[in-house]
Amino acid sequence: PATDSAINVSGPFPRIQLDLPLIGRDTEKQAVLDSFASNNRVTAILGFGGVGKTRLAAEIAITAADFRDGVIWHRIDDLATPQKLIQQAREHLNLPPMEDDPTWDELGKRQLLLILDNAEDCTMPDAYLQRLNTLNPDGGPRVLITSRLLLNKLKAKRIALVAPYREV
């Protein structure tokens, strides 16, 4: 996987997003950070395509200081699976290959940010939801999800993005 050691991000981090200015999203960024601080393990950024969900998630990934174990960027597409996420997490944490359950136990001990980008493209939502909904609320990683669709079964703080207001 691609790794950016300067910010300790692994996975297909969309560095090109950082070339775009983050305009008018201070309130939403603070809402995500407040959600993390309020012990919400999972926070979902929801909105139409093109409103800046991935850009906001990228900003949070490089500026949030509370994740000493780094950031795992997991882009969801038609080939993404929870098993690939587990493999990615094990590589990020430099853990030897193992079965599924020990990885989630290990993640529960770590202070990291797990970003699931493009959740609307997930072909196995129940498998992801099963894992996300069982995260320990008293410790461990925070999860940030970007999606165009509301994931009804997801136990998460939801933050809606709308197109920024612009005068013409």
Side-chain angles (χ1 to χ4, degrees):
T3 301
D4 188 328
S5 59
I7 55 175
N8 196 17
V9 176
S10 65
F13 182 72
R15 179 160 288 288
I16 195 166
Q17 289 284 332
L18 299 177
D19 292 339
L20 303 170
L22 186 67
I23 299 172
R25 293 291 182 215
D26 292 338
T27 301
E28 291 88 349
K29 179 181 175 185
Q30 190 59 52
V32 171
L33 297 176
D34 290 347
S35 177
F36 293 158
S38 297
N39 232 15
N40 290 306
R41 289 289 159 224
V42 182
T43 302
I45 300 173
L46 304 170
F48 294 108
V51 298
K53 299 177 299 294
T54 297
R55 175 62 183 96
L56 179 57
E59 185 72 18
I60 291 166
I62 64 162
T63 60
D66 295 334
F67 304 107
R68 70 174 180 263
D69 293 311
V71 178
I72 298 172
W73 192 282
H74 182 72
R75 180 165 170 79
I76 296 183
D77 57 26
D78 57 346
L79 300 176
T81 66
Q83 192 58 38
K84 288 182 181 178
L85 172 58
I86 288 167
Q87 178 183 356
Q88 185 180 357
R90 293 198 72 75
E91 290 172 6
H92 178 86
L93 298 171
N94 294 317
L95 299 172
M98 290 184 119
E99 291 300 315
D100 187 334
D101 291 337
T103 302
W104 283 95
D105 290 342
E106 186 63 33
L107 283 176
K109 301 172 190 172
R110 302 297 183 115
Q111 295 300 313
L112 61 84
L113 176 59
L114 175 59
I115 298 178
L116 306 179
D117 190 29
N118 274 5
E120 69 273 4
D121 291 337
C122 187
T123 59
M124 304 174 74
D126 289 339
Y128 279 93
L129 290 171
Q130 177 184 7
R131 290 299 186 181
L132 295 175
N133 284 335
T134 59
L135 284 173
N136 180 355
D138 297 324
R142 297 295 195 273
V143 179
L144 183 59
I145 295 174
T146 69
S147 182
R148 284 182 262 152
L149 303 173
L150 180 64
L151 307 169
N152 290 324
K153 297 178 187 176
L154 180 66
K155 298 174 189 171
K157 169 73 175 174
R158 292 175 170 91
I159 298 169
L161 291 189
V162 293
Y165 174 76
R166 293 183 349 181
E167 285 189 33
V168 288

